[in-house]
Amino acid sequence: MTLAIKLVIIAALILSIFIPFGYFLHGERTKKRYKRSIAFNAFFFFGIIVIAGVMMFITDPVQAAQASSDAGMSTGLGYLAAALSTGLSCVGGGIAVASAASAALGAISEDPSALGKSLIFVGLAEGVCLYGLIISFMIIGKLG
């Protein structure tokens, strides 16, 4: 695959994620719009994955001259994967902590003996961020 095709596939994958949820978040948030955006996302995401897989097998074999340029591309995409694993896990962990911490504060205000139980759930939500950070370190370790 040429660099242009790779960039088009990457852009299409990113757009297949952001466009459906932009559609959902922009208008009235109903269950029907949510299901439609999930279906659109799944259809295009997996369709693009299938097209990318087919494109890998129908192109010419990789030559030695292209190997060095592809190594730079794979290193760059590896760093992108490390950044995305950290970023997405922290966003998910932040959402989980927001829900768990507010519920924990409500439970503690009614019954102070629930502090230990509620802190466990907040800690589990923060663990998601740490797992994403560990995975990004593992990815960076494989690149270098």
Side-chain angles (χ1 to χ4, degrees):
M1 274 193 287
T2 64
L3 180 63
I5 294 173
K6 290 178 185 178
L7 291 176
V8 167
I9 289 174
I10 291 169
L13 282 172
I14 291 171
L15 289 176
S16 74
I17 294 170
F18 288 117
I19 289 176
F21 292 108
Y23 163 76
F24 172 71
L25 293 174
H26 184 64
E28 182 182 350
R29 295 181 183 160
T30 61
K31 193 172 185 178
K32 183 178 178 183
R33 284 177 68 101
Y34 182 70
K35 287 182 180 181
R36 190 178 299 155
S37 67
I38 290 288
F40 182 82
N41 182 348
F43 176 75
F44 280 105
F45 184 79
F46 290 115
I48 292 167
I49 293 293
V50 168
I51 290 170
V54 169
M55 292 294 289
M56 281 181 15
F57 291 114
I58 63 170
T59 58
D60 295 331
V62 177
Q63 299 173 355
Q66 284 182 326
S68 64
S69 66
D70 288 343
M73 177 80 168
S74 65
T75 303
L77 290 177
Y79 287 123
L80 180 64
L84 283 175
S85 70
T86 304
L88 292 177
S89 67
C90 287
V91 167
I95 293 170
V97 167
S99 300
S102 63
L105 286 174
I108 293 168
S109 67
E110 290 181 8
D111 183 17
S113 66
L115 175 68
K117 293 177 187 175
S118 61
L119 284 181
I120 291 172
F121 291 109
V122 175
L124 286 172
E126 289 177 6
V128 172
C129 299
L130 293 176
Y131 290 138
L133 186 65
I134 290 169
I135 293 297
S136 69
F137 285 149
M138 291 171 63
I139 292 171
I140 291 173
K142 290 285 184 183
L143 293 175

